[in-house]
Amino acid sequence: MPTAHRRIDPRLLEILVCPMTKHPLRYDADRQELVSVAAGLAYPIRDGIPIMLVDEARAIGDGDDDASMQPPPHAEVEDDLSQQSGESR
């Protein structure tokens, strides 16, 4: 049986923002993702439910196929913060 694209409620799309940047999201119906251009992340929609966790998001970029292999931008920030807190001891 072919899988039909679920549509996200437009009212929900109006109130959801990227949890990292607080910028609006773009709905990608083909990939079933909410895309944050500002963060360079795509949040999956599973069974009609947006998964708004940065750890679950897919990194996006110009070469979208290889972008999924790169760590999300927040990983570098977390590494920097971990190193800084270790140095201050």
Side-chain angles (χ1 to χ4, degrees), residues 31-82:
R31 290 185 181 236
Q32 286 296 287
E33 295 176 328
L34 294 176
V35 178
S36 171
V37 175
L41 296 172
Y43 298 93
I45 299 172
R46 297 186 188 131
D47 298 322
I49 301 168
I51 310 300
M52 303 305 297
L53 301 171
V54 174
D55 291 341
E56 293 288 321
R58 177 179 68 83
I60 59 172
D62 292 335
D64 207 22
D65 293 331
D66 62 355
S68 62
M69 303 303 285
Q70 299 171 359
H74 72 280
E76 294 171 12
V77 172
E78 288 173 358
D79 288 344
D80 289 344
L81 291 174
S82 297

